[in-house]
């Protein structure tokens, strides 16, 4: 397992967020992205919890932000180099943001994610 300090891992997540095209980043709404050491269940690298943009209607107001968690320890466990960590963080961030836009796992896999 490679070691990446929490502050550096958080920077990697921030850098991955910076690669989101501005047009998409602009329409992201009421969502927070956080780094968490361990997932609630084994095997997760990230988790989106909330109401996807595609399911929001006129009723949507006054709700807590959606939450994207990126899990540090499982990511570090599957990576052997710093470059692999950067790439895995990027993939995980994109994957979870796609869920915010209403794209499910099946469609993500069809798209190569």
């Amino acid at each position: 397992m490679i070691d990446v300090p929490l502050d550096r891992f958080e920077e990697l997540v921030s850098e991955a967020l910076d690669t989101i095209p501005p047009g998409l980043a602009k329409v992201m709404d009421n969502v927070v992205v956080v780094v968490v050491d361990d997932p609630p269940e084994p095997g997760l690298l990230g988790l989106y919890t909330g109401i996807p943009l595609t399911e929001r209607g006129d009723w949507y107001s006054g709700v807590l932000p959606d939450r994207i968690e990126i899990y540090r320890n499982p990511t570090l466990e599957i990576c052997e180099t710093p470059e692999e960590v950067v790439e895995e963080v990027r993939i995980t961030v994109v994957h979870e943001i796609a869920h915010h836009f209403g794209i499910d796992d099946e469609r993500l896999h069809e798209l190569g994610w």
Side-chain angles (χ1 to χ4, degrees), residues 16-17 19-20 28 43-49 67-70 87-113:
L17 287 167
T19 68
I20 302 301
M28 289 179 64
L44 293 178
L45 300 181
L47 181 65
Y48 168 77
T49 306
R67 184 175 173 97
I68 293 175
E69 295 181 348
I70 307 299
E87 181 64 10
E88 194 58 56
V89 166
R90 185 185 70 78
I91 289 168
T92 304
V93 166
V94 168
H95 185 100
E96 300 310 325
I97 287 174
H99 291 321
H100 177 66
F101 283 97
I103 302 170
D104 64 17
D105 283 330
E106 183 178 330
R107 180 67 179 137
L108 281 168
H109 291 292
E110 289 172 5
L111 295 170
W113 290 96

Side-chain angles (χ1 to χ4, degrees), residues 21-62:
L24 289 179
K26 187 176 180 178
V27 296
M28 289 179 64
D29 183 46
N30 201 29
V31 61
V32 62
V33 179
V34 296
V35 172
V36 177
D37 277 338
D38 296 303
E41 60 186 70
L44 293 178
L45 300 181
L47 181 65
Y48 168 77
T49 306
I51 302 167
L53 294 175
T54 54
E55 296 179 17
R56 296 178 185 181
D58 293 338
W59 56 268
Y60 185 85
S61 68

